[in-house]
Amino acid sequence: MSRPATFVPPPGARAYSLRTARGEFAVVDAPVADGVEPKGVALLLPGFTGSKEDFNPLHVPLAERGYRTVAVDGRGQYESDGPERDESAYAQEELARDVLAQAAALGTPVHLLGHSLGGQISRAAVLLDHAPFLTLTLMASGPAHISVSQQQRVKLLRDALGVMTMAQVWDAMQAMEAPEETDTGELDGGLVGREDLRRRWLGNKPAQLIATGRQLCTEPDRIAELAAVPLPFHVLSGSQDDTWPPALLDEMAVRLRARRSVIDGAEHSPNTERPLATARAVAGFWDEHPG
């Protein structure tokens, strides 16, 4: 589970519901910094069990580079509504069409960035229609299904969700965590701990977690198909990752003829673990491909 530095939007950012042709989606929308020439708009998609708050540490450094950033909760994810038990609502194509609607609602071509599961949903959206997008950044998101060890963890979660409430699953997960992984702490101006993460967990719809968990475990390799799309690509990851090993992402970047960025000292969530280095890499790529 990703751990945001803070659940409080950064100064100047606004949390609201973005109205689209496919419903409303909770977003954090951060404008370009005062006195900085605007360069573009980016749409940021979080990963499995994550939320828009995972990108809070990136908003300010990207705003200072001239980018408005809009981080979104997907359908059934944290503060965006969705069916409790209808898994068909969370089919990958449905989630991809939500992304196209979000981009359309922003009213301008956008840089698209997806973290982990968000990267696979981003890929699906681009394969449906690449016209709304200027670039695609896949952050800690690989060419196909997740590693075997991570598949086992996701299967445990999916099985638990079939027989337990969200609150019961949360309690079970906490009982399995090491104590240091559940400590609270003051980070970047916001108190983050169990209650913040528990509130986010309970906001997720069980059907969304079950359906997207299955996608992560069965996703086929679509890199050849993606490579045929006329967009600039960026593959970014931490220097260590047991979900998709960095060597696998190196190979994927070659297949996509993509820019490759490796964030030293980061693992599966460079956006929260090394946000300044991550923002520099992302903005540097976007600077090369203006709208």
Side-chain angles (χ1 to χ4, degrees):
M1 178 183 293
S2 58
R3 297 177 183 272
T6 173
F7 276 78
V8 178
R14 185 164 65 101
Y16 65 94
S17 292
L18 177 70
R19 294 183 178 181
T20 79
R22 289 176 62 85
E24 296 189 1
F25 297 89
V27 302
V28 171
D29 188 337
V32 175
D34 290 343
V36 176
E37 180 181 357
K39 293 180 181 178
V41 180
L43 180 63
L44 314 178
L45 308 186
F48 185 63
T49 75
S51 69
K52 60 190 180 301
E53 286 73 21
D54 295 342
F55 297 108
N56 277 350
L58 297 185
H59 288 302
V60 169
L62 290 174
E64 292 172 348
R65 291 287 295 266
Y67 292 99
R68 173 190 171 196
T69 48
V70 182
V72 60
D73 287 336
R75 181 196 302 240
Q77 190 174 45
Y78 189 28
E79 294 182 322
S80 290
D81 199 13
E84 288 275 343
R85 294 294 172 184
D86 180 9
E87 293 180 34
S88 67
Y90 304 104
Q92 189 182 76
E93 182 172 335
E94 293 298 312
L95 301 179
R97 292 193 182 281
D98 289 345
V99 176
L100 294 174
Q102 294 155 11
L106 294 176
T108 184
V110 300
H111 297 284
L112 182 61
L113 182 152
H115 173 231
S116 194
L117 171 70
Q120 298 201 333
I121 295 169
S122 297
R123 178 172 77 180
V126 165
L127 289 173
L128 283 175
D129 182 6
H130 69 271
F133 308 113
L134 298 170
T135 65
L136 173 60
T137 295
L138 301 172
M139 178 186 290
S141 186
H145 55 73
I146 55 179
S147 66
V148 172
S149 63
Q150 291 298 320
Q151 288 182 46
Q152 292 169 347
R153 295 184 66 175
V154 170
K155 184 180 185 303
L156 284 174
L157 175 60
R158 288 170 49 209
D159 289 347
L161 288 169
V163 296
M164 301 166 68
T165 67
M166 289 291 286
Q168 289 170 333
V169 173
W170 171 260
D171 290 340
M173 291 192 301
Q174 293 304 290
M176 296 171 63
E177 293 278 9
E180 64 271 14
E181 293 181 341
T182 57
D183 286 346
T184 60
E186 189 74 27
L187 298 172
D188 292 352
L191 184 65
V192 176
R194 289 193 192 189
E195 192 53 41
D196 298 293
L197 296 172
R198 181 178 186 274
R199 184 176 65 252
R200 178 174 69 173
W201 171 259
L202 294 178
N204 286 291
K205 304 303 183 186
Q208 182 265 129
L209 293 170
I210 293 170
T212 57
R214 183 181 299 109
Q215 291 168 30
L216 285 170
C217 295
T218 60
E219 179 74 3
D221 188 323
R222 304 183 71 186
I223 297 305
E225 189 180 355
L226 184 63
V229 175
L231 280 182
F233 300 115
H234 184 196
V235 175
L236 183 148
S237 73
S239 55
Q240 299 182 51
D241 194 340
D242 65 354
T243 305
W244 288 281
L248 185 64
L249 300 184
D250 293 342
E251 179 188 1
M252 183 177 79
V254 171
R255 294 170 63 195
L256 287 172
R257 299 180 297 278
R259 178 165 177 165
R260 178 74 171 106
S261 297
V262 178
I263 308 301
D264 289 337
E267 297 185 15
H268 188 59
S269 298
N271 43 314
T272 61
E273 297 158 351
R274 292 292 309 280
L276 295 182
T278 300
R280 284 194 297 269
V282 169
F285 171 65
W286 291 343
D287 286 349
E288 295 178 359
H289 304 284

